[in-house]
Amino acid sequence: MCENNVFNKTIFSERVSSLLKNTNTTQYKLAKSIGVSKNAIYDIVHARRAASIEVIYNLANFFDCSIDFIVGRTDDPKRY
């Protein structure tokens, strides 16, 4: 769980990467499904950038998990 109030791009990127792997989803499929470029997903997965709240919301919907899980505020993916 996040110990401070600073957004951690590394945790965010690790969560997205793990979700991609666990669901056997390609970056291209994810990008197309949530309406962003493949480069945007690549940059998120490699901690080169964060994402807008809209993208984080769409990621949570796509992977059927909580926003708090994706951004590292909880380790429980279903804690809504």
Side-chain angles (χ1 to χ4, degrees):
M1 185 181 271
C2 190
E3 294 181 8
N4 57 38
N5 293 327
V6 177
F7 180 78
N8 188 321
K9 284 193 297 187
T10 302
I11 291 172
F12 177 60
S13 69
E14 288 171 355
R15 293 284 167 94
V16 173
S17 182
S18 176
L19 288 163
L20 282 166
K21 188 176 187 178
N22 292 341
T23 60
N24 204 25
T25 302
T26 65
Q27 290 181 22
Y28 175 78
K29 180 180 177 186
L30 175 60
K32 188 172 180 175
S33 296
I34 67 168
V36 299
S37 70
K38 186 178 146 228
N39 287 342
I41 299 299
Y42 179 89
D43 287 346
I44 290 168
V45 167
H46 290 89
R48 292 183 179 175
R49 71 180 219 171
S52 68
I53 189 63
E54 291 88 359
V55 170
I56 295 170
Y57 178 86
N58 289 335
L59 287 167
N61 282 338
F62 182 87
F63 290 118
D64 190 29
C65 66
S66 72
I67 290 172
D68 282 347
F69 174 75
I70 289 178
V71 299
R73 289 178 43 115
T74 182
D75 292 330
D76 181 357
K78 296 297 180 181
R79 183 172 173 229
Y80 291 100

